[in-house]
Amino acid sequence: MELAQLKMVRAVAQTGSVAQAALQLHCVPSNITTRIKQLEGELGTPLFIRAGRGLAISAAGEIFLEYCERILALVDESKRAVDANAIPRGTLRIGAVESSASGRLPPLLAEYHRRYPDVSLELVTGAWGELLDDLQHHRLDVALVAAGNKRAKLEHSVVYSERLVLIASASSAPIHSAEDLAGRTLLVWPPGCPYRAALENWVKPHDFKPAIASYASWGTIIGCVSAGIGVALAPEGILARYEQANQLASYRFDELQAVGNLLFWHKDTQRHLARDAFAGLLRETFG
């Protein structure tokens, strides 16, 4: 068993194709096919099964892939641990929910690029559950999410708290309390979003059931609010990123408490200079 074989298994599992894995690893497809077959012979079990024109990982392959990711992550960490230059370099894989990626992160990422030009940044957006799954399996180095449950092997700290703002079309009737949302459509993210939960919990005690429209895009939600389709609850940091926000009426209520944005990392990765520099910049920026 060799590290090259583990990288091949990971690449095929990620792409679902030997040809795509070959492009990723800069080798010929036949080499990957041969090396994986040799590995399967050594393990005594198939790691992939044919699925149409591609490959799907087998049940045994799923188990083996977890070890591949852990071993390859440990190899990367060992290289960083003995790096005589000891400056952030290499690749930093950041996961972030869309509100963070579109709101607070852009100027911070620009500053990170300026300070650490030898680091190649990869930013992935998604739901917090998916991001923490990827972090647990070493597919990400760090994840910035709004809220989020504890996970095995993951540690976290609160980076900043985001004030919540209720937004509506400037031409609509003023909103003084949750009762004023009766008859209005709530424009929210799909279930699991903490901002959706905060808005639904705010109106829940009242004697009406608002219509719900789900969109997985802040641009779409803010555009629909601007067009008068409904109201939404948005993190304060994201409003400045959208031109339409200037045409909206915004309301702040004490009952709508700020949501903590958390930075998660894998506790098994002890030394990661690029990740630690990113965490340091977050602390410096947000206190």
Side-chain angles (χ1 to χ4, degrees), residues 7-23:
K7 292 177 181 178
M8 290 174 181
V9 170
R10 181 175 65 180
V12 174
Q14 289 174 344
T15 62
S17 162
V18 170
Q20 291 299 316
L23 289 174

Side-chain angles (χ1 to χ4, degrees), residues 76-128:
D76 288 341
E77 183 182 343
S78 69
K79 291 177 181 178
R80 291 190 296 266
V82 297
D83 185 356
N85 295 316
I87 62 172
R89 61 176 71 247
T91 300
L92 177 63
R93 302 164 299 174
I94 303 169
V97 291
E98 210 247 358
S99 58
S100 296
S102 300
R104 302 292 186 182
L105 274 187
L108 187 139
L109 293 177
E111 177 61 17
Y112 189 95
H113 273 297
R114 188 189 68 79
R115 293 190 188 185
Y116 310 107
D118 292 331
V119 177
S120 175
L121 291 177
E122 294 180 3
L123 178 64
V124 175
T125 60
W128 66 264

Side-chain angles (χ1 to χ4, degrees), residues 183-203:
R184 305 202 193 198
T185 298
L186 306 187
L187 303 173
V188 294
W189 276 70
C193 171
Y195 308 119
R196 173 182 179 137
L199 184 54
E200 289 180 332
N201 289 336
W202 193 45
V203 302

Side-chain angles (χ1 to χ4, degrees), residues 22 56 68-69 74 77 91 124 136-137 155 206 216 235:
C68 287
E69 290 168 337
L74 192 59
E77 183 182 343
T91 300
V124 175
Q136 278 186 304
H137 292 91
E155 295 183 343
H206 303 283

Side-chain angles (χ1 to χ4, degrees), residues 179-254:
E179 287 93 335
D180 293 331
L181 298 187
R184 305 202 193 198
T185 298
L186 306 187
L187 303 173
V188 294
W189 276 70
C193 171
Y195 308 119
R196 173 182 179 137
L199 184 54
E200 289 180 332
N201 289 336
W202 193 45
V203 302
K204 194 173 184 178
H206 303 283
D207 192 24
F208 66 91
K209 189 173 182 179
I212 300 287
S214 296
Y215 301 105
S217 162
W218 283 116
T220 301
I221 289 174
I222 291 174
C224 288
V225 171
S226 180
I229 295 175
V231 302
L233 189 63
E236 197 164 40
I238 201 143
L239 294 180
R241 301 289 163 192
Y242 290 91
E243 208 171 290
Q244 304 102 309
N246 296 326
Q247 306 159 17
L248 301 175
S250 59
Y251 306 91
R252 292 163 177 79
F253 297 93
D254 291 339

Side-chain angles (χ1 to χ4, degrees), residues 124-143:
V124 175
T125 60
W128 66 264
E130 297 169 352
L131 296 175
L132 296 187
D133 285 344
D134 285 343
L135 186 59
Q136 278 186 304
H137 292 91
H138 298 281
R139 293 188 287 267
L140 291 173
D141 299 310
V142 69

